[in-house]
């Protein structure tokens, strides 16, 4: 699984249990990111639709959600990974851009990324194996990168993991049907069909995922884009439209619209206590689906909160920020169903005026 800000690693067991307790057979993961929640839903037996705006998330969803492990030619997949792992490095765009002009990967790994991605493009473009192999490469590159988890900057000294050689692995595919949709939740939410359960995990702030993970966007698009800045970001990031969820001004209305339009019997929304919308307002939004219960889980903040207090010369320039926050999980739907769903976490239920 790639490093991804806001990924719901700790909440996955809770979300999977909510799905199981609801007996949902169809599920929507509307801001799927790494797809780890969608994968947990699929592993629990649901037919999942995973939506996100980024190319990166859409390829991950193509691999882990839309690919059915039962219909994949496993021998061909293993052979493909083996052949790609044996390819010698051949320096190209990745090496020049992300190893010479910037320092996200060591050049020996950059050249291997170039060679492997070019081979996938030449041999597998448009095939069922393409998203699986691009995912395998993205995960391999993530294991040897030299960042703190976002691609807006690289670390000053090479990260210890960046010395290791790039090695692709066969992704752990899941059996069953699923769907990957690349699109804006605001545009597609009404056209996806009906679901037993929908999970919504929108961005919390102004930081755009296509900028935070621009190298994955380029690795997927494989279009050698013109770039700008120290981090060599795609120029489309500077020029392109922003998600309504990345602006304090547009986010509340966009979220209310999406929550209101999502066609599901049970709606689960996760948010944290640093977001632009207060808990009472979130509860009001979810009320269109019936009764609302709120669970609150304490969680550690991004490592940048701890280390982002030094300047490039390594001098201390600030104090450590808040290290913990609360992850809220709002569950909305029919009263009896919602009460049954949240029963295992009774002691974590938040009582607010709006929820009662
Ligand atoms: C908090 S992250 C989701 C993390 C995910 N639940 C996980 O566990 O990996 C928010 C996601 O919303 C996506 N996103 C941002 N704006 C969007 C929009 N308008 N429509 C759909 N997805 C969007 C981002 O690309 C990002 O992957």
């Amino acid at each position: 699984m790639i490093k991804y800000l806001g990924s719901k690693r700790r909440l996955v067991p809770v979300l999977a249990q909510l799905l199981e307790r609801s007996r949902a057979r169809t599920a929507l993961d509307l801001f799927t990111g790494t797809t780890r929640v969608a994968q947990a839903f699929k592993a629990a037996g649901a037919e999942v639709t995973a939506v996100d705006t980024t190319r990166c998330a859409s390829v991950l969803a193509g691999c882990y959600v839309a690919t059915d492990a039962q219909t994949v030619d496993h021998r061909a997949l293993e052979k493909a990974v083996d052949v790609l792992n044996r390819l010698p490095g051949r320096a190209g765009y990745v090496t020049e851009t992300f190893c010479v002009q910037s320092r996200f990967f060591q050049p020996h790994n950059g050249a291997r990324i170039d060679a492997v991605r070019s081979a996938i493009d030449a041999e597998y473009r448009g095939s069922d194996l393409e998203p699986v192999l691009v995912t395998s490469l993205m995960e391999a590159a993530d294991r040897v990168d030299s960042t703190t988890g976002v691609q807006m900057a690289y670390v000053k000294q090479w990260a210890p993991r960046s010395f290791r050689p790039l090695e692709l692995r066969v992704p752990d595919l899941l059996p069953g049907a699923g769907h990957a949709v690349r699109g804006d939740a605001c545009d597609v939410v009404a056209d996806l069909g009906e679901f037993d359960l929908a999970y919504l995990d929108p961005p919390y702030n102004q930081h755009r995922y296509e900028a935070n993970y621009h190298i994955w966007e380029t690795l997927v698009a494989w279009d050698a884009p013109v770039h700008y800045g120290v981090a060599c970001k795609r120029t489309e990031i500077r020029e392109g439209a922003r998600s309504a969820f990345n602006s304090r001004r547009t986010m509340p209305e966009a979220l209310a619209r999406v929550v209101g339009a999502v066609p599901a019997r049970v709606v689960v929304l996760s948010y944290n206590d640093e977001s632009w919308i207060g808990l009472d307002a979130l509860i009001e939004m979810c009320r269109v689906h019936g009764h609302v219960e709120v669970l609150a889980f304490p969680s550690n903040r991004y490592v940048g909160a701890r280390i982002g207090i030094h300047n490039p010369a390594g001098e201390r320039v600030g104090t450590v920020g808040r290290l913990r926050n609360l992850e809220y999980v709002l569950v909305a739907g029919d009263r009896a169903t919602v009460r049954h769903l949240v029963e295992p976490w009774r002691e974590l239920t938040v009582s607010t005026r709006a929820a009662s």
Side-chain angles (χ1 to χ4, degrees):
M1 195 75 67
I2 57 168
K3 298 182 279 300
Y4 206 73
L5 273 189
S7 180
K8 294 296 169 290
R9 185 165 59 84
R10 290 209 187 76
L11 282 184
V12 164
V14 175
L15 298 167
Q17 218 180 319
L18 284 171
L19 178 108
E20 282 168 17
R21 289 177 70 79
S22 76
R23 298 179 187 275
R25 301 178 66 97
T26 55
L28 171 66
D29 183 6
L30 197 51
F31 300 85
T32 196
T34 59
T35 73
R36 70 165 80 233
V37 178
Q39 288 183 51
F41 288 171
K42 185 175 176 184
E47 179 170 339
V48 182
T49 299
V51 179
D52 203 288
T53 43
T54 64
R55 296 176 180 88
C56 155
S58 138
V59 158
L60 292 170
C63 171
Y64 289 116
V65 181
T67 300
D68 183 345
Q70 283 164 324
T71 62
V72 163
D73 181 343
H74 288 274
R75 204 174 294 167
L77 173 57
E78 273 159 32
K79 179 146 183 267
V81 169
D82 188 47
V83 168
L84 294 172
N85 267 330
R86 288 167 196 268
L87 284 180
R90 204 183 64 224
Y93 181 90
V94 168
T95 313
E96 172 58 28
T97 313
F98 300 125
C99 308
V100 177
Q101 296 189 35
S102 57
R103 283 163 47 103
F104 286 99
F105 305 101
Q106 301 230 13
H108 62 92
N109 280 328
R112 300 261 344 277
I113 295 169
D114 274 319
V116 170
R117 186 62 186 91
S118 297
I120 296 172
D121 197 48
E123 312 269 329
Y124 297 97
R125 194 196 313 186
S127 78
D128 291 349
L129 287 187
E130 185 184 25
V132 182
L133 295 173
V134 174
T135 294
S136 174
L137 174 59
M138 205 151 61
E139 292 179 341
D142 186 64
R143 286 191 291 272
V144 297
D145 76 348
S146 196
T147 72
T148 60
V150 287
Q151 297 166 350
M152 300 299 274
Y154 40 92
V155 295
K156 215 164 78 179
Q157 306 292 341
W158 287 114
R161 65 173 172 269
S162 71
F163 291 90
R164 296 205 301 256
L166 182 91
E167 192 204 349
L168 278 71
R169 298 175 190 160
V170 176
D172 287 331
L173 301 174
L174 294 162
H179 314 275
V181 176
R182 182 175 174 215
D184 187 319
C186 304
D187 300 333
V188 301
V189 65
D191 301 323
L192 297 168
E194 306 243 318
F195 298 92
D196 294 329
L197 182 143
Y199 173 59
L200 279 61
D201 183 23
Y204 302 143
N205 54 38
Q206 72 279 16
H207 300 301
R208 292 176 298 158
Y209 281 81
E210 61 274 29
N212 275 338
Y213 299 104
H214 63 95
I215 298 176
W216 302 153
E217 293 302 286
T218 292
L219 210 55
V220 174
W222 203 231
D223 55 354
V226 177
H227 54 81
Y228 71 98
V230 178
C232 300
K233 285 178 284 189
R234 309 168 61 82
T235 44
E236 74 185 14
I237 288 166
R238 189 169 48 187
E239 290 149 10
R242 277 176 175 264
S243 165
F245 295 91
N246 289 132
S247 152
R248 181 188 280 272
R249 190 175 55 78
T250 51
M251 190 273 263
E253 202 239 310
L255 185 59
R257 205 148 33 91
V258 168
V259 169
V262 72
R265 193 162 54 79
V266 173
V267 173
V268 179
L269 170 72
S270 60
Y271 232 82
N272 76 20
D273 62 348
E274 294 173 17
S275 86
W276 288 321
I277 302 187
L279 184 55
D280 284 353
L282 287 175
I283 293 168
E284 275 311 317
M285 280 181 197
C286 291
R287 237 191 241 296
V288 290
H289 294 282
H291 179 69
V292 183
E293 294 270 350
V294 183
L295 305 173
F297 298 87
S299 126
N300 288 330
R301 293 183 77 224
Y302 166 56
V303 64
R306 272 162 250 234
I307 63 171
I309 54 167
H310 296 87
N311 67 16
E315 295 153 351
R316 201 158 221 260
V317 291
T319 50
V320 173
R322 211 174 143 205
L323 298 182
R324 308 271 290 166
N325 60 13
L326 281 179
E327 289 279 358
Y328 292 126
V329 175
L330 287 80
V331 185
D334 161 78
R335 180 182 293 268
T337 307
V338 170
R339 290 229 160 121
H340 165 71
L341 294 187
V342 301
E343 187 55 40
W345 303 278
R346 265 282 140 228
E347 76 284 5
L348 296 175
T349 306
V350 176
S351 51
T352 68
R353 261 181 302 118
S356 55

